[in-house]
Amino acid sequence: MIRVAIIGAGLGGIAAAVKLRKAGAACTIFEQSSGVGGTWFDNRYPGCEVDVHSHAYSFSFLKYDWPRTHATQPELLAYAEHVVERFGLRPHLRLNTRVTDLVWEESTSTYRLSTEHGDTEEFDVVVSALGLLSVPRYPQWPGLDTFAGPGFHTSRWEEHDLAGKSVAVVGTGSTAVQIVPAIAPQAGQVYVYQREPGWVEPKNEHDFSPRQRWIFRNVPLAQRLNRARIFHNGNRRFRGYDTGSRRQHRMRALCERFIATTIKSPPTRTAVTPDYPWGCKRPILSSTFYPALNRDNVELVPHAVRRVTPTGVIDETGAERKVDVLVLSTGFQPTKFLAGIDVKGRDGRSIHDVWRERASAFMGITVPGFPNFFILYGPNTNGGVSVIAQLERQAEVVVGAVRRLARTRRGSIDTSPDAARRFVEWVDRKLATSASAMSSGCHNYYHDPSGHNVTQWPGGHLAYAVATRFVARFGLRTTR
């Protein structure tokens, strides 16, 4: 039986474990946190919820009774726990165990895996399911370490009584737009610092009615049909990333109409309206952020932060505002793939040395010279309507490779360098005309310091499903 190590017990690691166990592989899941769920275990800030429809942000192999269109963080955590119990993964979990090193042993065609506790084990196959948004980005503002009050990143949320307090929320991305409406009713004053506006669409979230939930539970095809509808609409929406398309103009018009009909203050309307194409940044879905800006105790500061004092925040105009609590909604470092793990492949090469100029992988899953090593949520796989569906397709590639190893009785599966090169060239060509290209004029998290877009998949989910099913196998080769 092939022994597989899965690093990470988020939804990607869970998907891989379910599919690999069905294929007869022996799995061990290593998780550095004390529970499963990945990002939904780490992020517990007020208002935290997913911005993808629940029926799409869940596994295709399990029907689930979702209570609302967009699941909250507690509901997603409960879902992860449910899947673990439903498929008997609990005995295979190693919680509170961070993997530090992987070393390929050519003589045995195995990886030697080391943990923070000093333990070592050997595995035939290793799957990294670390996730994309897991390493917080902390700003380098002068004086940040001198701030006297509570100050923390949103992914490391600290519970404080905000009643009557002055709170600065720095950032207006997908996390901040959830936090601001959630804390504004309790806080005395909320300052929202916006370096650059983002296109915001109405989310239209709501609870399912008892009748809807009954239909989704009891009518066999209802949930599948709704899921298919979501993916169909998502694939149509993806056409908007072409800056010259009619869909691009429609999406901009939708967002502009949302601003005009929701925000009362003309200066605020102007401040939140981007001057770059829709899709240049990750589009934001929120029905409650703009209304929160109408509150008397919420002020939008359309300027970047310059520095921090012990008692306040100074923006780029030099204006200082006194605050009691500082919330950093400053994002993550998604281009630092496999951060915290040293992976050595053939000839002792470190994957971080191979990626010195650019992180890349064939189909975002495998890297030449690192046999039997697979990455979920790897380079250029973000997007495609729902990351859960992307993760399932990646897990299926892993299952196919494991079955191939068992069938051929060969020691390893490696990646053709030529196939990997052609894949990256194709990705670059497709992304060059996308709204997310650097030439579109916005700041986004997609690009590495050298300007390569290393995070985004340049198409909808259907294209990725076809590529992983029919193309991936031609880039992988078995060796002795």
Side-chain angles (χ1 to χ4, degrees), residues 217-282:
R217 281 196 308 267
N218 296 286
V219 177
L221 288 178
Q223 197 166 130
R224 286 178 178 265
L225 289 174
N226 192 44
R227 180 182 171 92
R229 178 187 64 81
I230 295 164
F231 275 86
H232 173 69
N233 290 338
N235 284 323
R236 290 175 57 199
R237 183 174 179 271
F238 184 83
R239 298 171 191 165
Y241 286 92
D242 180 349
T243 55
S245 67
R246 285 185 294 177
R247 178 68 59 176
Q248 165 75 205
H249 295 296
R250 288 178 189 171
M251 297 309 299
R252 287 184 61 135
L254 168 68
C255 296
E256 289 168 348
R257 191 162 54 248
F258 189 36
I259 292 170
T261 58
T262 310
I263 297 178
K264 297 177 181 178
S265 164
T268 302
R269 290 179 197 164
T270 300
V272 301
T273 303
D275 60 1
Y276 54 79
W278 177 90
C280 183
K281 281 177 178 282
R282 182 180 188 272

Side-chain angles (χ1 to χ4, degrees), residues 17-88:
V18 169
K19 291 178 181 287
L20 283 164
R21 279 181 46 75
K22 284 184 176 180
C27 296
T28 302
I29 312 163
F30 296 87
E31 170 56 52
Q32 64 181 354
S33 299
S34 59
V36 303
T39 189
W40 303 112
F41 182 88
D42 294 334
N43 288 272
R44 301 178 181 227
Y45 57 82
C48 183
E49 67 177 38
V50 72
D51 55 10
V52 177
H53 198 293
S54 303
H55 288 161
Y57 200 85
S58 49
F59 298 125
S60 62
F61 52 76
L62 179 66
K63 186 167 71 173
Y64 190 73
D65 182 20
W66 291 107
R68 62 198 309 269
T69 56
H70 296 76
T72 63
Q73 180 269 337
E75 291 165 345
L76 288 161
L77 202 55
Y79 176 69
E81 293 279 359
H82 172 78
V83 178
V84 166
E85 295 298 334
R86 169 69 175 75
F87 291 95

Side-chain angles (χ1 to χ4, degrees), residues 351-405:
I351 200 165
H352 296 295
D353 288 337
V354 173
W355 284 348
R356 192 174 301 278
E357 294 185 8
R358 174 189 185 154
S360 65
F362 177 62
M363 294 292 161
I365 304 171
T366 61
V367 180
F370 294 82
N372 295 9
F373 180 68
F374 302 88
I375 307 169
L376 305 190
Y377 220 159
N380 295 113
T381 61
N382 186 41
V385 183
S386 168
V387 68
I388 304 303
Q390 300 284 95
L391 292 169
E392 278 200 60
R393 304 294 82 77
Q394 293 155 26
E396 287 160 5
V397 172
V398 178
V399 169
V402 168
R403 284 178 169 157
R404 191 165 158 185
L405 284 172

Side-chain angles (χ1 to χ4, degrees), residues 92-401:
H92 307 280
L93 282 168
R94 302 245 189 112
L95 301 176
N96 297 305
T97 305
R98 183 172 65 88
V99 174
T100 58
D101 299 274
L102 292 171
V103 178
W104 174 251
E105 301 287 355
E106 194 73 57
S107 59
T108 58
S109 294
T110 60
Y111 277 99
R112 186 175 73 250
L113 179 150
S114 302
T115 73
E116 60 183 334
H117 306 305
D119 302 322
T120 61
E121 293 182 60
E122 288 194 350
F123 291 92
D124 303 300
V125 171
V126 177
V127 180
S128 169
L130 292 177
L132 187 71
L133 305 178
S134 58
V135 182
R137 183 189 302 278
Y138 288 96
Q140 301 298 312
W141 301 321
L144 179 58
D145 58 347
T146 70
F147 184 68
F152 46 86
H153 193 276
T154 55
S155 64
R156 306 293 185 264
W157 186 265
E158 298 175 8
E159 288 297 334
H160 295 277
D161 183 5
L162 301 181
K165 299 290 179 65
S166 178
V167 183
V169 177
V170 183
T172 51
S174 296
T175 297
V177 302
Q178 295 178 346
I179 290 174
V180 171
I183 67 172
Q186 290 79 43
Q189 176 70 40
V190 179
Y191 296 111
V192 184
Y193 285 83
Q194 172 190 274
R195 179 185 63 171
E196 184 177 60
W199 289 112
V200 179
E201 307 165 38
K203 191 171 181 176
N204 301 319
E205 73 277 22
H206 59 83
D207 293 341
F208 287 127
S209 68
R211 181 173 180 272
Q212 286 175 311
R213 290 184 69 174
W214 185 92
I215 291 173
F216 287 134
R217 281 196 308 267
N218 296 286
V219 177
L221 288 178
Q223 197 166 130
R224 286 178 178 265
L225 289 174
N226 192 44
R227 180 182 171 92
R229 178 187 64 81
I230 295 164
F231 275 86
H232 173 69
N233 290 338
N235 284 323
R236 290 175 57 199
R237 183 174 179 271
F238 184 83
R239 298 171 191 165
Y241 286 92
D242 180 349
T243 55
S245 67
R246 285 185 294 177
R247 178 68 59 176
Q248 165 75 205
H249 295 296
R250 288 178 189 171
M251 297 309 299
R252 287 184 61 135
L254 168 68
C255 296
E256 289 168 348
R257 191 162 54 248
F258 189 36
I259 292 170
T261 58
T262 310
I263 297 178
K264 297 177 181 178
S265 164
T268 302
R269 290 179 197 164
T270 300
V272 301
T273 303
D275 60 1
Y276 54 79
W278 177 90
C280 183
K281 281 177 178 282
R282 182 180 188 272
I284 301 166
L285 280 80
S286 174
S287 300
T288 56
F289 178 60
Y290 285 164
L293 297 181
N294 294 327
R295 294 178 61 98
D296 292 336
N297 70 328
V298 176
E299 178 185 344
L300 178 72
V301 183
H303 306 292
V305 171
R306 177 187 292 174
R307 62 189 180 93
V308 178
T309 70
T311 58
V313 176
I314 299 175
D315 67 33
E316 62 184 356
T317 70
E320 179 176 4
R321 292 168 179 83
K322 299 296 183 181
V323 298
D324 303 306
V325 180
L326 178 57
V327 178
L328 306 177
S329 185
T330 48
F332 298 86
Q333 301 179 62
T335 63
K336 292 188 175 181
F337 293 94
L338 303 181
I341 297 181
D342 187 17
V343 184
K344 287 187 170 63
R346 286 200 158 113
D347 302 320
R349 291 191 308 162
S350 168
I351 200 165
H352 296 295
D353 288 337
V354 173
W355 284 348
R356 192 174 301 278
E357 294 185 8
R358 174 189 185 154
S360 65
F362 177 62
M363 294 292 161
I365 304 171
T366 61
V367 180
F370 294 82
N372 295 9
F373 180 68
F374 302 88
I375 307 169
L376 305 190
Y377 220 159
N380 295 113
T381 61
N382 186 41
V385 183
S386 168
V387 68
I388 304 303
Q390 300 284 95
L391 292 169
E392 278 200 60
R393 304 294 82 77
Q394 293 155 26
E396 287 160 5
V397 172
V398 178
V399 169

